[in-house]
Amino acid sequence: MSTTIANTLSEKTKGFSIEESLAFLANEYKGKVVFSTSFGQEDQVIKALISTNELPITIFTLDTGRLFQETYDVFHKTLKKYKKEIKVYFPEATAVEKLLEAKGPNSFYDSVENRKECCFIRKVAPLTKALKGNAIWITGLRAEQSENRHNLDLFEYDAHFDIIKFNPLLKWTLKEVEDYLEKNNVPQNALHKQGFVSIGCAPCTRAIAEGEDIRAGRWWWESSHKECGLHQK
Ligand code: SF4
């Protein structure tokens, strides 16, 4: 995998709809195209597109063990509605046991290093396992989600995971995402109606006020570092 391949895919799919791009990738990289979902609004759009078009793309989620009940609810509803398997990756039990024994269950509030340690065990390590051996990683990233994401491309080479990322909703606005979900009756996380926009683990996510940055509710006690290591941008 490389930046050259990302650029070539960008050229080859020029003018394609999202569904056409997904179908093209599924065919070109048979059995090696994966989509990671955390059941957020963008992910639910992509999930609906993959499922309703019956595209042979593996869908997986990372269950950190610290998710909101509302996230499990939308996970359950999504399974029932689309009847398509969602693979689940859990953190390694021994690593979680050791972390809690050494630092307690809420060590992430104590320092950025501790927070990153928890994110590594619960998210990055399972993600590494999920992406291993695959060629294309479909994400729900949008440019307006954060400053870091403004410069993303539709196809990006992720050197850390040595994989091509495809970000089909890159240019979509939040309004477009919400309209699609409403129009297509796609299950949504109930927390979105309570001011939660970007939803991660329960102890590390809060609702945001009107006008606040979309990712202000993630690790709100930190002044920066609004990423968890899954996405470098
Ligand atoms: Fe741990 Fe919070 Fe990161 Fe979840 S978001 S893995 S609870 S530090």
Side-chain angles (χ1 to χ4, degrees), residues 16-23 45-46 49 55 166 168-169 172:
F16 283 14
S17 66
I18 294 179
E19 293 93 320
E20 286 167 344
S21 294
L22 292 171
V45 171
I46 298 173
L49 289 169
L55 297 169
F166 176 45
L169 301 187
W172 283 37

Side-chain angles (χ1 to χ4, degrees), residues 77-129:
K77 281 185 197 161
T78 303
L79 281 174
K80 283 198 160 177
K81 177 166 174 121
Y82 297 107
K83 302 190 174 30
K84 180 168 168 70
E85 185 197 15
I86 297 173
K87 290 187 76 160
V88 180
Y89 288 85
F90 252 78
E92 218 249 296
T94 316
V96 177
E97 286 165 4
K98 277 191 182 153
L99 174 68
L100 267 62
E101 282 164 10
K103 298 184 177 177
N106 293 331
S107 58
F108 35 78
Y109 292 134
D110 295 338
S111 68
V112 172
E113 289 68 33
N114 278 359
R115 198 270 288 169
K116 288 189 171 175
E117 180 183 25
C118 183
C119 281
F120 182 83
I121 291 170
R122 294 182 187 272
K123 293 179 169 183
V124 180
L127 176 68
T128 306
K129 207 167 139 191

Side-chain angles (χ1 to χ4, degrees), residues 66-199:
R66 301 296 297 253
L67 302 178
F68 287 97
Q69 178 58 39
E70 288 84 348
T71 302
Y72 291 110
D73 291 342
V74 71
F75 180 174
H76 202 75
K77 281 185 197 161
T78 303
L79 281 174
K80 283 198 160 177
K81 177 166 174 121
Y82 297 107
K83 302 190 174 30
K84 180 168 168 70
E85 185 197 15
I86 297 173
K87 290 187 76 160
V88 180
Y89 288 85
F90 252 78
E92 218 249 296
T94 316
V96 177
E97 286 165 4
K98 277 191 182 153
L99 174 68
L100 267 62
E101 282 164 10
K103 298 184 177 177
N106 293 331
S107 58
F108 35 78
Y109 292 134
D110 295 338
S111 68
V112 172
E113 289 68 33
N114 278 359
R115 198 270 288 169
K116 288 189 171 175
E117 180 183 25
C118 183
C119 281
F120 182 83
I121 291 170
R122 294 182 187 272
K123 293 179 169 183
V124 180
L127 176 68
T128 306
K129 207 167 139 191
L131 295 179
K132 201 170 185 304
N134 287 296
I136 307 287
W137 173 20
I138 299 157
T139 85
L141 298 182
R142 286 189 303 110
E144 69 170 23
Q145 282 168 330
S146 71
E147 253 178 56
N148 285 349
R149 296 179 183 179
H150 283 171
N151 301 326
L152 280 175
D153 287 320
L154 215 47
F155 287 92
E156 289 263 332
Y157 173 58
D158 186 318
H160 182 76
F161 292 109
D162 187 27
I163 199 163
I164 304 288
K165 276 161 94 166
F166 176 45
N167 311 306
L169 301 187
L170 190 65
K171 303 291 178 206
W172 283 37
T173 62
L174 182 58
K175 173 88 173 54
E176 285 175 297
V177 171
E178 289 172 343
D179 287 350
Y180 179 94
L181 295 173
E182 285 302 322
K183 194 172 156 211
N184 294 282
N185 200 23
V186 180
Q188 292 192 57
N189 193 320
L191 292 173
H192 292 308
K193 297 251 185 283
Q194 298 169 38
F196 288 77
V197 181
S198 171
I199 303 172

